[in-house]
Amino acid sequence: MDKISLDKEIILNATEEVIRRFGPEKANISDVAKSLKVSHAALYRYYNGKTDLWNAVTERWLSNLHAPSKDILKEDNSADIKLFRLLEDFAEAKRRSAVNDPEMFANYLKLAQSSMDVIEKSIEDGINSIKEVIVQGITEGIFFEEFPHQAAITVYLATSVFIHPNSFEVPNRKQNIDSVLNLLIRGLKNPNK
């Protein structure tokens, strides 16, 4: 019988701690169950195995990482300002995590290799956020773009270099990000404005 009341949030918190302690390869569902003082079978009521649970941890980590981006989408700013802020946050979110929570960031990198569906969904969400702002800019008459979804993919690809850990310590990182973002936004702007 379960000694504590379980829910997905409690299980995810425990899993994250177990992953931090043992690493994503060595940690297993039995470790999570032991930390919660429940049988591993109790966890199967919520997750269909290690892969499902590790994917849920990765998905939650990414969701928390990109929470500020969701707030930017709600701001009352023109599309060009909003797009700059959104892309800047995309570029800085993983670097902030690497600095503020290096253990979980290192574990995320390992988890991501086996959570491709979660990673692809996160990329798709990012592209859709960019598209939303581009469509806003078209409506405002700021951006001129016939194919907003393709433009969003292009913008995402052009800025994705800044989310890679190899870029975190590059000299002039902030200047490089600003230069790329300004160039992209100028390219989207309506030439008649």
Side-chain angles (χ1 to χ4, degrees):
M1 180 148 178
D2 295 350
K3 304 241 189 297
I4 64 169
S5 176
L6 287 181
D7 65 24
K8 285 189 172 195
E9 194 68 19
I10 289 170
I11 294 169
L12 290 175
N13 290 339
T15 303
E16 194 171 293
E17 288 307 313
V18 166
I19 290 171
R20 275 192 174 108
R21 191 174 327 132
F22 299 115
E25 288 98 10
K26 291 184 180 177
N28 59 49
I29 288 187
S30 294
D31 295 324
V32 176
K34 284 178 195 171
S35 77
L36 291 170
K37 297 178 173 69
V38 299
S39 70
H40 72 279
L43 301 180
Y44 282 93
R45 285 187 241 145
Y46 298 89
Y47 296 98
N48 292 326
K50 180 178 178 178
T51 300
D52 191 32
L53 183 53
W54 268 223
N55 283 349
V57 168
T58 304
E59 190 169 10
R60 183 175 79 160
W61 184 82
L62 286 166
S63 178
N64 291 338
L65 185 76
H66 293 298
S69 300
K70 301 298 180 195
D71 293 337
I72 291 168
L73 292 173
K74 297 174 189 170
E75 292 176 353
D76 187 26
N77 284 321
S78 63
D80 54 345
I81 292 169
K82 193 180 286 188
L83 185 60
F84 188 95
R85 288 185 31 74
L86 180 71
L87 295 172
E88 185 177 50
D89 186 69
F90 284 173
E92 288 298 310
K94 286 193 178 97
R95 188 194 64 76
R96 280 192 309 265
S97 177
V99 170
N100 298 332
D101 192 359
E103 285 177 332
M104 196 57 195
F105 183 77
N107 287 325
Y108 157 75
L109 293 176
K110 291 176 186 170
L111 289 169
Q113 294 171 0
S114 62
S115 301
M116 286 315 298
D117 290 343
V118 173
I119 301 303
E120 288 170 11
K121 183 185 178 307
S122 178
I123 291 169
E124 184 181 322
D125 289 347
I127 289 169
N128 286 334
S129 295
I130 295 167
K131 178 185 171 186
E132 179 181 327
V133 179
I134 291 173
V135 169
Q136 175 189 334
I138 293 167
T139 303
E140 293 172 347
I142 295 172
F143 296 150
F144 177 76
E145 182 55 53
E146 285 186 70
F147 306 103
H149 185 73
Q150 185 58 50
I153 292 170
T154 302
V155 168
Y156 181 87
L157 291 172
T159 56
S160 65
V161 65
F162 299 115
I163 65 172
H164 195 279
N166 290 345
S167 76
F168 293 170
E169 301 302 323
V170 170
N172 302 320
R173 175 181 163 79
K174 175 73 170 119
Q175 181 183 350
N176 293 342
I177 292 169
D178 289 352
S179 294
V180 169
L181 299 184
N182 285 321
L183 181 66
L184 290 168
I185 290 170
R186 273 197 315 273
L188 289 168
K189 286 200 170 185
N190 187 332
N192 298 321
K193 284 283 182 184

